[in-house]
């Protein structure tokens, strides 16, 4: 990564009191180089390539920690949407029964 100011899509992100995932894992998924030290980039790339197996293993571990329902997200998301829909339908039915 070239350490330049980050693009902020939500100017109120700090109100959430959580660090954006991209910031939290940035140093874990690569090297961060200052724009003043761009001459270091080829060496950093070469270093990552020379430790390819370790890097790949680390990326797999990080993916397991950070990504939920990998390979099943569509089915799991559909189940959750159906559950929420059923719950909302039940609430509406209960409300209409109370109010006649």
């Amino acid at each position: 990564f070239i350490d330049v100011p980050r693009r902020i899509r939500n100017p109120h992100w700090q109100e959430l009191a959580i660090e954006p995932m991209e910031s939290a894992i940035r140093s874990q998924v690569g090297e961060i180089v200052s724009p003043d030290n761009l001459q270091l980039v080829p060496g950093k790339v070469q270093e990552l390539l020379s430790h390819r197996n370790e890097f790949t293993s680390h990326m797999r571990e990080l993916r397991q920690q950070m990504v939920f329902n990998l390979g099943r997200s569509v089915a799991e998301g559909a189940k959750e949407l159906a559950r929420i829909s059923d719950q909302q339908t039940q609430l509406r039915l209960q409300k209409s029964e109370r109010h006649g």
Side-chain angles (χ1 to χ4, degrees), residues 28-71:
Q28 296 179 50
V29 297
E31 295 285 334
I32 302 169
V33 178
S34 165
D36 297 331
N37 293 318
L38 294 179
Q39 73 278 5
L40 299 177
V41 170
K44 298 288 185 181
V45 170
Q46 187 58 45
E47 188 176 326
L48 288 171
L49 289 172
S50 69
H51 297 97
R52 184 176 305 191
N53 291 338
E54 293 91 344
F55 182 76
T56 300
S57 177
H58 179 68
M59 291 299 101
R60 286 187 177 131
E61 289 173 20
L62 194 57
R63 181 178 62 192
Q64 283 297 118
Q65 295 170 13
M66 304 295 290
V67 179
F68 299 96
N69 299 314
L70 186 63

Side-chain angles (χ1 to χ4, degrees), residues 5-7 9-10 12 16 18 20 23 28-30 42 55 61 68 75 77-78 82 84-86 92 100:
R6 297 180 191 138
R7 178 175 56 181
R9 295 182 182 176
N10 178 357
H12 307 289
L16 299 172
I18 58 174
S23 296
Q28 296 179 50
V29 297
F55 182 76
E61 289 173 20
F68 299 96
I84 292 168
S85 176
D86 290 345
R92 279 193 299 275

